[in-house]
Each structure stands twice: as C-alpha cells, then as structure tokens.
Amino acid sequence: MTDLVGQAHQRASALLRRWVAETHTPVAEGSLRLTIGPLRVGTEVVYVSPTGAHGFGPIHVLDGGGEPVAVADAGLLAAACSAEARARALPDAPINAPESGTLVDWVLDALPRGGVDPLGWPDDLVAVARSISDAAEAQRWLTAHVESRLLPAVLGWDSGDLAAATATLLTRGVLAVIGVLGRCGVVHESQLLDELAARLRGIAETHPAVQRLVQHWLGSPTVTDLAAVNGSELRYRSESGSVAVRAVPFEVANPLAPDAPDVPGVPLPELTEGWSLRPVRLAGGDVELVHRWMSTEHVAVNWNQAWPLARWRDELAGQLAGRHSLPCVVGLDGRDVAYLELYRVRRDKLARCYPYDAHDLGVHIAIGEADAIGRGVGTALLRAVAQGLLAADPQCRRVVAEPNVHNGASVGAFAKAGFRRDREVGLPGKNSALMVFDRR
Amino acid sequence: MTDLVGQAHQRASALLRRWVAETHTPVAEGSLRLTIGPLRVGTEVVYVSPTGAHGFGPIHVLDGGGEPVAVADAGLLAAACSAEARARALPDAPINAPESGTLVDWVLDALPRGGVDPLGWPDDLVAVARSISDAAEAQRWLTAHVESRLLPAVLGWDSGDLAAATATLLTRGVLAVIGVLGRCGVVHESQLLDELAARLRGIAETHPAVQRLVQHWLGSPTVTDLAAVNGSELRYRSESGSVAVRAVPFEVANPLAPDAPDVPGVPLPELTEGWSLRPVRLAGGDVELVHRWMSTEHVAVNWNQAWPLARWRDELAGQLAGRHSLPCVVGLDGRDVAYLELYRVRRDKLARCYPYDAHDLGVHIAIGEADAIGRGVGTALLRAVAQGLLAADPQCRRVVAEPNVHNGASVGAFAKAGFRRDREVGLPGKNSALMVFDRR
C-alpha cells in the first residue's frame, strides 16, 4: 500500500497551490494564513517557487483563534474553494449553474483514479519530473526538451491562439517540470529558467517566423496558464453530466520576463470642468476627511477599510512616501467630495493579473459625500481622471480599474465613462472586472 | 496541538457510523466495503455495537480494483453522502433544494469549532462518556443516570410525541453513552443494556402512568433516532442561510427489545378472480422463466438482478430452503405472467426500518410479460395478493412493500391497490416508499 498520508498532503497542496496562483495571492517563505470562503487555513511555506510550484508544510484548518483544529484535506479544500469561487462570481455565471458541478465532484471522481491535480500534465512530463535526480541531469533534460520537443512544437505553431500555445507549451509544459524539479530540491529553478531564456532567445534569432510567440514568452510580464479552482467560467461537468474539468485561461506572473525597466511614480493629473484634485495632505484635515468618508456605510461596504484614524494616517503617509500609489482628494466646484488612489499597475497586485504595460496607471475611487452620488457625477469624474492621467504621462497607453463584479453601479459608471470591460480577474477576496480606458 | 489525525479519523468514523445506521446497512466484524454515491469505501470493522456505535479501522477510498488509494476524510465522506442522499431522494424533496445546503456545509462550519458529529449530544453526556474508565464505574453511572435523570424526564413526559421522547431520552441519551463505553472497551454493552432493561421494567411496574413509553422502549423492534446524513427531508441551512443541521427521525433496531417470538414461514395465499399462484419449482422450467423475466429491460431496470441462470437457480433454491421469503410464479387466466417474492418482514432488511409486527408480510413483484402490464393488471394482482396473504395468516395485520420512491408507476400501482404510503425509508442503494395494506 502506498503512502496515503503523503498522497493526501500532495493533493491538498496541489489545490492550495492552484488557489494561490488563480487568486494572484502573493506568497513568501514562512507562515501563510488564508481565508478560503468559509474556511480559515494555515500552513508553512517551505519553498517559494518563481513558477508557482510552492512547497507547503502540513495544511491545517484553523479555529476562530487561529489554532489548528484539523488537517485540511482535499475534499474540504475543494468544497471551500468551490464555495468561494461561486460566491465571488455573479449568480448567472457558469460556475453557479447547478449542472456545472463543483470541484468536489472532481475530487470524488479523481481519488479512486489516483488523481492529484484538477489539471494534470501530460504523462511523459510527469515521468520526466520524477526521473531526474540531480542538477546535471536536469540541465541535459532541458537541452534535449527544447531541441526535440519545444522547438518542433513552436515551429509548428500555426500563429493562431497565443494563449493556448503558451499554456500548452510553456506554463503547463517546460515551466511545470522546472517547478517540480525546484520544489524537490533537484536544482535551483532560476538556473534552469536562465538557461531556458537563453535558448529561447537563440530560437527567436534563428527562426524569425516564431519571433512573436517566443518574444511573448520572454517579454510579457504575465503568461497564460489554465485555472481549475477559481474563475466564473469554470465547469466540472460536461453537458452529459459526466465529471470533466473545463478549465479557463488566466494570467500568471512570467518567471522568464526580465525585471521591467523603472517607471516614475504616479503623475498628478490636471482635471477639467469644475473638478479639482490634490494629493492628500497629512496635516490640515485631509486625513480626518478620508477617515470619515471611509467610515460611511456606502463607502465601507465596497472598500471595507473603515479603519481607525491612526491606521489611516499611517496608510496615507506610507502611500505618500512611496511610488506605488498617490492618494488624492477631489473637489467639485470647490467642495471636497471624493477620495482617489491613483497607482502604477506595475507596482500593484494587478501586475500579476494581466499583461500590463510598464506605464499603465490605475484608479480606485470613493465618492465620500453621499449627496454627490448620482446624476453622472462619478462617471464624469472617472472620465476626467482617465483623460488627466493620459495627459500627465505621455507614455501611458491606458488607465485601468478593477471594481468588484458584484458592484454593478461601479462597473456601470466606469463603462459610461469610456472604460471597456476587458476580463474578469480573481483576486484575494473578490472577482474584479478589469476596466480599461485606452488612449485613443 | 491535539491529535489531528486521530480527530480526522473520529470525524470520518462518525459520518460512516451515521451512514450505516441511516441506510439500515448490516454490519459484521471484519472487512466492510461500501459504495456511497460516487465513492467506494473500505474499512475494517473492529467493534460491532448493538447500539450502532461501531468501531472502524482506517477508512479508505478504494480504486476500481478495490485497492485503497486515499484516506477517506470527513469532507469527502460528507460530499459522497450528500451526493447519494440527494440522488436517492425525489428531485422536489427538501434535500434537493439548493437553499437546503449539503452535509459539506456542516463540515466546513464544524471543523473550526471542533465539531465531530452532525448531531452532537448534550455536553454533559459527552463528559460522562469520557470520564468513565471501568465497568464498575459504568454500572454506578447507569444507576445514577436512571434515578436522577431518566426517571424524572420519563415521569415528566407529557404523553405527546413518542418519537421525540425516544430520540431525546433513549437513543441519543442513555444508549449513546452505553455505545461509547462499549466501543472504548470500558464495559460490555450487553451488560449495561440488560441492566437498563431491568431498571426500565421496574419503572413501568412502579409508575403505570408511563407504561406506554417504557413498554415501547422495551418491546418495540425499532426505536426512533435522528438522521443527519440520509433522508429526503434533511436540511443543512436555516431559512436565513446560516448553517444548522435540521435532522429527521428514522427507525433503528432496538437493542433493548428481546428476541421476537418465532413466526412460521410465508403462507401460500389463495388468489381469486382468474389469478393463480404457485411456489417456484426448481425443475420444469420455472427457473428459466424467472431468469428470462429478470433479463428483460423493464424488469432489470428496477430489480437490477439480471443474473446468469445458475445464480438464479442458487438464489431460488436458497429462498425455498429457508423461511425468509417464498418465490412464486403467478398466472392470469392460465398464462404465467409475473414473479413474486413474499417475505416475512421480521426476517427481512425491512425489519430494521419500521416498528413491524412479528406476523407482517411483504411482497416484491415483477410482471415479467411486458404485454401483461397496464390496464390495471398489476394493481389487481397486488390487491389479490394482499388479501390472499391476510386470509392465509389470520395473525398478520398488514402486508407491506417498499418500491423505490423514483418508481412512480410502482408506487402508484400499490396505492391504487389499497396500500397507503406510510413513510420513506433509506436502504443501501435506494430510498423506498413503505407501502402498507392494513387489515380492515
């Protein structure tokens, strides 16, 4: 009889690894505590992987006081992930249709078959990952793999679906194997990643026909992977009712991309048509104003940041000291009505979610004065801010925002202001509609 | 940190124990293999309990070949039990309403609270069961419990709901503690059960006012318990959406009931109105006839016994040699058209499902000749058989049947023949409508 406890941990780890990747949750070595739907989970991150192949210690369910009370097994994690993914998605999303099934259906179906991951890889890659036992062997495998398998596949690529080719050949191919070799301590992932990048550059030089695909792999800040535990379009049952994971694409940080060139902090936009805007001042009442706005019900319900005054003072001082985001107070016809956070996507959590440009800017908005809501005020402000940001940074090609998909009023206001709905992205705690205002 | 693996086993065992009880599945020491919805499960029964407090070794998920491939944890068992309970119940049963939740909701809610069983007992009984460490102490506890707790409760009983009083005071009270003490090896359950029965007899003699309740506990072949994993009326969410198990009553074999007096085998009914009936003859073509009927699609879909001829020969010979059931061929106007199994409930699996009388008789029916179906033929036959059985055994007060609740045609035919629908009972593999034809 095989090591069932080890297998149970493997299975739970695979689900946790997916959840972390698919919700774009940052991971660092040490203690990791997560809330997955109705479940609080704690573990030790024992290996942080650039390809997402993180290694976890025992995964526990935590009680209200944060103490471990049970081993978090696959069935339970699947149920919690499903409950969460369904709650984040809109009621009419495919994942909320009863006939779509849940991740638990997959677990019930997979266990007797020995399935570990809702999206297993090709058998030969699994065999490879298991057979290699030292760094030299790993290097030889990579060389052979690129020559005999990746290159022919890339050359045979029909220039159609960039995302599908990336998922099949890169993230769920060579990168997946590199991740497992790293996690198992066979080799440093960065060593194989450097080697792979060098070989890909060689391919691009020698074969101009496939430059587009290879450059995408080498340069894009994110690459496409397949999601199986989070995403509103997921299904776990085919139309005939049999269990089959229908995965959906999502973007994941690209471990092959070089560090992006530096970009300046957030520029101060000039607003038109009666609007004024100033960075928050730490003295003179702005902190109190933001604190008051954040405590009002209509703001708190979406921002969930009804913090004490002292915490807001720290938060604002921190933002003002850095180059990630710029907190601002907006006035309309001389009266302060709204709070804005303008941010560089490159320094934001959104950088893990879509293939951004280095100069992309983002905006969070809270209209603090309840009587200023409605009559298109928000829409007008968003348009003015987007236009102001594009004017303030000539290299910026787009302004983005990420309202909760459940916040129809906000999504609608962005849409009316000229933002297009690009995609739905999973984040820790919500599914966001990525709204994009392109430079025209 | 407490013993999480031990707790996980405890939790999985509690669910398995409930499933076994609530589906009236017989349990014997040794290897136990079950199919719970989509999941095949295997374990070792290390302790068989008269009160249902069975002890299990490690509980495993089995692969297609019957080999263990995973530890069957609580989340998984809950999901499998829910899937099965929902599939057995009719689509419009409460358990199939999305807002009723599933057993998985309970697990997700219970784990952080340290919950082990969907229907925990009163805290003081848990404390008692944990504190007693030897047989003498157990005897002292039983004496004190009957005097100071059970007797006052029984005397205070308002003669209303027999089932509720039984569940609260007996099955989920004193019997539950006796079961745990037995499973933990503190005392033989039979010893405490004998003692309890003696004390209850004493109570009935001294307090005629509560004779009805106490006699029920001492004499009924089954007693009421609460079901939490099987049953079409189950719910796991309150109307407000919060997690709360709404359990349903079901009958369980009564460990206090003396062995029922012997009853004769199944009498041969005389049928009227053109019907004839004979016990199956092992020579002369009857075995071949039954085998052919069982292989036809319209019979196989409900009986699921399209066995090879040899197996049917063994089956029929076995039935004819015993006193449990009598296999018969039924003719209409001289032509053989149907197969019947007439049985003593007392010797049948149904004996675990409702408070039967010793002389209760049951009937299984298969109309083998497809062209004899319809035009009320089945209904007429069922009425003739029920009346014939009541005539053949003057002590028999009722004839019963247990068609699958999904088999509307069969349930309808029994109803038209004069059977009333008594209750829904869970059995291994189906939910049955208990149909009862009373002597009038």
Side-chain angles (χ1 to χ4, degrees):
Chain A
M1 203 161 87
T2 44
D3 169 21
L4 298 187
V5 172
Q7 276 187 19
H9 177 63
Q10 232 186 309
R11 205 169 273 124
S13 293
L15 291 178
L16 192 60
R17 218 173 278 132
R18 289 214 161 274
W19 190 83
V20 160
E22 297 173 21
T23 57
H24 302 96
T25 301
V27 165
E29 211 159 292
S31 171
L32 178 68
R33 299 194 157 218
L34 299 168
T35 299
I36 303 179
L39 209 61
R40 294 181 65 196
V41 166
T43 187
E44 234 9 66
V45 179
V46 293
Y47 172 72
V48 176
S49 161
T51 60
H54 312 299
F56 303 116
I59 304 166
H60 289 132
V61 176
L62 308 181
D63 66 14
E67 290 301 308
V69 287
V71 174
D73 47 64
L76 205 65
L77 280 169
C81 289
S82 274
E84 206 226 0
R86 296 175 93 149
R88 294 147 165 267
L90 291 171
D92 60 355
I95 198 174
N96 278 317
E99 64 271 18
S100 293
T102 78
L103 190 51
V104 179
D105 294 312
W106 171 77
V107 177
L108 287 171
D109 185 66
L111 253 68
R113 292 186 289 100
V116 166
D117 186 317
L119 286 175
W121 321 325
D123 284 345
D124 54 342
L125 290 187
V126 175
V128 161
R130 283 190 189 145
S131 69
I132 296 170
S133 57
D134 65 38
E137 216 179 319
Q139 287 279 5
R140 283 197 300 276
W141 166 77
L142 183 64
T143 307
H145 178 83
V146 171
E147 287 305 315
S148 69
R149 185 153 162 171
L150 193 58
L151 180 56
V154 165
L155 291 178
W157 181 55
D158 65 358
S159 305
D161 192 339
L162 196 72
T166 302
T168 310
L169 302 177
L170 190 71
T171 51
R172 293 175 42 71
V174 60
L175 292 187
V177 177
I178 290 174
V180 171
L181 294 176
R183 185 168 74 235
C184 297
V186 172
V187 63
H188 287 294
E189 285 184 60
S190 58
Q191 195 180 327
L192 289 186
L193 290 169
D194 289 348
E195 173 77 24
L196 176 60
R199 293 194 172 270
L200 287 174
R201 279 192 295 273
I203 288 176
E205 278 164 28
T206 325
H207 306 279
V210 296
Q211 267 189 358
R212 182 171 152 240
L213 180 62
V214 176
Q215 294 298 1
H216 176 71
W217 292 357
L218 288 168
S220 175
T222 64
V223 283
T224 305
D225 198 347
L226 291 185
V229 307
N230 258 274
S232 60
E233 303 289 320
L234 282 175
R235 293 170 189 214
Y236 298 96
R237 286 189 180 277
S238 68
E239 265 123 56
S240 71
S242 64
V243 175
V245 177
R246 194 190 295 177
V248 293
F250 79 112
E251 292 294 303
V252 63
N254 181 2
L256 293 173
D259 287 342
D262 199 28
V263 285
V266 178
L268 195 66
E270 276 184 42
L271 304 190
T272 52
E273 297 171 29
W275 294 103
S276 61
L277 179 147
R278 67 170 182 276
V280 164
R281 291 181 291 244
L282 292 177
D286 280 1
V287 178
E288 289 74 10
L289 185 64
V290 172
H291 169 254
R292 177 168 69 76
W293 285 343
M294 286 295 157
S295 304
T296 61
E297 198 184 326
H298 74 279
V299 173
V301 72
N302 286 312
W303 279 64
N304 203 21
Q305 292 182 200
W307 299 333
L309 184 63
R311 181 163 174 195
W312 263 112
R313 187 177 302 281
D314 290 349
E315 167 70 22
L316 293 167
Q319 287 192 35
L320 289 166
R323 294 197 301 162
H324 172 178
S325 66
L326 182 67
C328 302
V329 171
V330 170
L332 176 58
D333 300 329
R335 179 190 177 211
D336 292 339
V337 293
Y339 172 70
L340 285 185
E341 281 173 8
L342 309 175
Y343 57 91
R344 279 290 181 200
V345 169
R346 172 160 150 48
R347 300 192 177 96
D348 191 74
K349 61 182 184 300
L350 265 190
R352 292 187 287 272
C353 302
Y354 79 98
Y356 66 92
D357 276 344
H359 280 261
D360 281 2
L361 289 163
V363 56
H364 299 306
I365 181 173
I367 299 184
E369 299 301 338
D371 62 4
I373 296 173
R375 293 155 298 145
V377 170
T379 298
L381 172 55
L382 290 172
R383 190 184 297 115
V385 169
Q387 288 169 339
L389 285 171
L390 289 173
D393 180 355
Q395 287 179 268
C396 174
R397 300 198 315 196
R398 60 173 87 100
V399 177
V400 304
E402 40 93 34
N404 193 314
V405 293
H406 286 276
N407 188 349
S410 182
V411 172
F414 279 107
K416 279 192 205 140
F419 288 70
R420 66 181 163 81
R421 187 173 181 144
D422 183 90
R423 71 185 70 192
E424 189 165 324
V425 295
L427 288 166
K430 68 172 177 178
N431 277 3
S432 285
L434 181 68
M435 306 298 294
V436 179
F437 191 97
D438 295 295
R439 187 183 286 278
R440 262 149 272 209
Chain B
M1 203 161 88
T2 44
D3 169 21
L4 298 187
V5 172
Q7 275 186 21
H9 177 63
Q10 232 186 309
R11 205 169 273 124
S13 293
L15 291 178
L16 192 60
R17 219 173 277 131
R18 288 213 161 275
W19 190 83
V20 161
E22 296 173 22
T23 57
H24 302 96
T25 302
V27 165
E29 211 160 291
S31 171
L32 177 68
R33 300 193 156 217
L34 299 167
T35 299
I36 304 179
L39 209 61
R40 294 181 65 195
V41 166
T43 187
E44 232 12 64
V45 179
V46 294
Y47 172 72
V48 176
S49 161
T51 59
H54 312 299
F56 303 116
I59 305 166
H60 289 132
V61 176
L62 309 181
D63 66 13
E67 289 301 308
V69 288
V71 174
D73 47 64
L76 205 66
L77 280 169
C81 289
S82 273
E84 205 224 1
R86 297 175 92 147
R88 295 148 165 269
L90 292 172
D92 60 354
I95 198 175
N96 279 318
E99 62 272 19
S100 294
T102 79
L103 191 52
V104 179
D105 294 312
W106 171 77
V107 177
L108 287 172
D109 185 66
L111 253 69
R113 292 186 290 100
V116 167
D117 186 316
L119 285 175
W121 322 325
D123 284 345
D124 54 342
L125 290 187
V126 175
V128 161
R130 283 191 188 143
S131 68
I132 296 170
S133 58
D134 65 37
E137 215 179 320
Q139 288 278 4
R140 284 197 300 275
W141 165 78
L142 183 63
T143 307
H145 177 84
V146 170
E147 288 304 315
S148 68
R149 185 152 164 172
L150 193 58
L151 180 57
V154 165
L155 292 177
W157 180 55
D158 65 358
S159 304
D161 192 338
L162 196 71
T166 303
T168 310
L169 303 176
L170 191 71
T171 51
R172 293 175 42 71
V174 60
L175 291 188
V177 177
I178 291 175
V180 171
L181 294 176
R183 185 168 74 235
C184 297
V186 171
V187 64
H188 287 293
E189 285 184 60
S190 57
Q191 196 180 326
L192 289 185
L193 290 169
D194 289 348
E195 174 78 23
L196 176 61
R199 291 193 174 270
L200 287 174
R201 280 193 295 273
I203 289 176
E205 277 164 30
T206 324
H207 306 279
V210 296
Q211 267 190 359
R212 181 171 153 239
L213 180 62
V214 176
Q215 294 298 0
H216 176 71
W217 292 357
L218 287 168
S220 176
T222 63
V223 283
T224 305
D225 198 347
L226 291 185
V229 307
N230 260 274
S232 59
E233 302 290 320
L234 282 176
R235 292 169 191 216
Y236 299 95
R237 285 189 180 279
S238 68
E239 265 124 56
S240 71
S242 64
V243 175
V245 177
R246 192 190 296 178
V248 293
F250 79 112
E251 293 293 303
V252 64
N254 181 3
L256 293 173
D259 287 341
D262 199 27
V263 286
V266 178
L268 195 64
E270 275 184 42
L271 304 189
T272 52
E273 296 171 30
W275 295 103
S276 62
L277 178 147
R278 67 170 183 276
V280 164
R281 292 181 291 244
L282 292 176
D286 279 2
V287 178
E288 289 74 10
L289 185 64
V290 173
H291 169 253
R292 176 167 69 77
W293 285 343
M294 287 294 157
S295 304
T296 61
E297 198 184 327
H298 74 279
V299 173
V301 72
N302 286 312
W303 280 64
N304 202 21
Q305 293 181 201
W307 299 332
L309 184 63
R311 180 163 174 195
W312 263 111
R313 187 176 303 280
D314 290 350
E315 167 69 22
L316 293 167
Q319 287 193 33
L320 290 166
R323 293 195 303 163
H324 170 179
S325 66
L326 183 67
C328 302
V329 171
V330 170
L332 176 58
D333 301 329
R335 178 190 177 212
D336 293 338
V337 293
Y339 173 71
L340 286 186
E341 280 174 9
L342 309 174
Y343 56 91
R344 280 289 181 202
V345 169
R346 173 160 148 48
R347 301 191 177 96
D348 191 75
K349 61 183 184 300
L350 265 190
R352 292 187 288 270
C353 302
Y354 79 99
Y356 66 92
D357 277 343
H359 280 261
D360 281 3
L361 288 163
V363 55
H364 299 305
I365 181 173
I367 298 185
E369 299 300 337
D371 62 4
I373 297 173
R375 292 154 300 149
V377 170
T379 298
L381 172 56
L382 290 172
R383 190 183 298 116
V385 169
Q387 289 169 338
L389 284 170
L390 289 172
D393 181 355
Q395 289 179 268
C396 175
R397 299 197 315 194
R398 60 173 88 99
V399 178
V400 304
E402 40 93 34
N404 193 315
V405 292
H406 286 276
N407 188 350
S410 181
V411 172
F414 279 107
K416 277 192 208 142
F419 288 70
R420 66 181 163 82
R421 186 172 181 147
D422 183 272
R423 70 186 70 193
E424 190 165 324
V425 295
L427 288 166
K430 67 171 175 178
N431 277 4
S432 285
L434 181 68
M435 306 299 294
V436 180
F437 191 98
D438 295 296
R439 187 183 286 277
R440 264 150 270 209

